[in-house]
Amino acid sequence: MFRWREIKAHFKIMNPYITFGFILFFAGLVVGGTNSTFSDYLEQQISALGDVAETLQQSDNPTLAFMIFIFLNNAIKSIFIIYIGAILGIIPIFFLVLNGMVVGFLLQHVAQTNGTGDMFHVVLGLLPHGIIEIPAIVIACAYGMKFGVLLLKALGRLIIPGKEAGKSGPEIEYFMIRSIPVVVILTVALLIAAIIESTISVWVGSL
């Protein structure tokens, strides 16, 4: 189950979904940074995160509180998004686009209110953990989309039986087995990202 050769081989199979995931994220980033249609909703999302940050800042150990919250929030959502992708892969797509839009809107808002210099500073603060966190979330969503496609195929084979009618069961079983080491890898990656975000990223952001 945890043979690296098999894991790497499955990642190659997943490459089209992972690539599509990055396209969706960056498309969301562009929309969030250039389109004001969703500004009220995105402001609410950022405001909610700000309220959580204030609450955590008041704890006895803010650094530890931030680290635990960031890790649990990202890990639970990522694992959830892999398997909730069974709903035709729609939720992972929405999740990726929304996250991209939030980042894009944040950068645009900072640049508009404080200038491009501060926006560059925000980017520097996002980079240390973002280079781990964003790919991990994209991969989780890619697996969610793949799961949705598999179940959509299975549904199609039930409605229109054919010579491939018996393939869905083994395909879904193989996917579920291969998803277990991916969940472990993503959990470790997101733990590392949470540690970096609550320490190094905070330090970079305060420079």
Side-chain angles (χ1 to χ4, degrees):
M1 186 179 296
F2 286 91
R3 294 173 182 171
W4 286 108
R5 184 177 297 176
E6 293 180 3
I7 294 171
K8 287 171 65 177
H10 197 250
F11 269 126
K12 286 184 179 179
I13 295 172
M14 290 296 299
N15 267 342
Y17 291 90
I18 295 171
T19 301
F20 183 55
F22 275 109
I23 292 171
L24 287 174
F25 178 83
F26 285 110
L29 192 150
V30 172
V31 171
T34 60
N35 193 319
S36 60
T37 306
F38 305 99
S39 59
D40 289 342
Y41 176 73
L42 296 173
E43 281 180 6
Q44 290 175 5
Q45 297 297 308
I46 293 174
S47 177
L49 290 173
D51 292 341
V52 172
E54 285 184 14
T55 302
L56 295 174
Q57 194 65 46
Q58 294 170 7
S59 64
D60 294 334
N61 191 331
T63 300
L64 181 61
F66 270 103
M67 184 179 69
I68 293 173
F69 171 78
I70 293 166
F71 168 66
L72 291 178
N73 181 59
N74 288 334
I76 291 172
K77 283 182 179 178
S78 294
I79 294 169
F80 178 76
I81 215 76
I82 289 175
Y83 300 110
I84 202 65
I87 306 175
L88 308 183
I90 295 172
I91 294 179
I93 291 173
F94 173 77
F95 186 75
L96 273 177
V97 174
L98 177 61
N99 275 270
M101 288 174 66
V102 169
V103 174
F105 177 78
L106 175 63
L107 294 177
Q108 184 272 339
H109 180 73
V110 171
Q112 192 175 50
T113 55
N114 301 327
T116 54
D118 275 7
M119 185 188 74
F120 181 70
H121 198 67
V122 171
V123 171
L124 284 179
L126 290 172
L127 275 178
H129 64 276
I131 57 175
I132 299 174
E133 186 177 297
I134 292 173
I137 291 173
V138 169
I139 290 170
C141 290
Y143 272 78
M145 288 187 284
K146 174 66 173 180
F147 195 16
V149 169
L150 288 176
L151 290 185
L152 191 60
K153 283 183 179 178
L155 183 61
R157 287 165 181 164
L158 283 174
I159 297 172
I160 310 173
K163 61 181 180 180
E164 295 186 340
K167 290 180 64 176
S168 294
E171 284 178 351
I172 293 172
E173 181 183 6
Y174 177 75
F175 173 84
M176 296 297 287
I177 291 171
R178 289 272 60 87
S179 70
I180 295 173
V182 172
V183 166
V184 174
I185 293 169
L186 293 182
T187 301
V188 173
L190 289 170
L191 175 59
I192 294 170
I195 294 170
I196 293 172
E197 186 171 357
S198 57
T199 54
I200 297 173
S201 293
V202 172
W203 174 71
V204 171
S206 65
L207 294 176

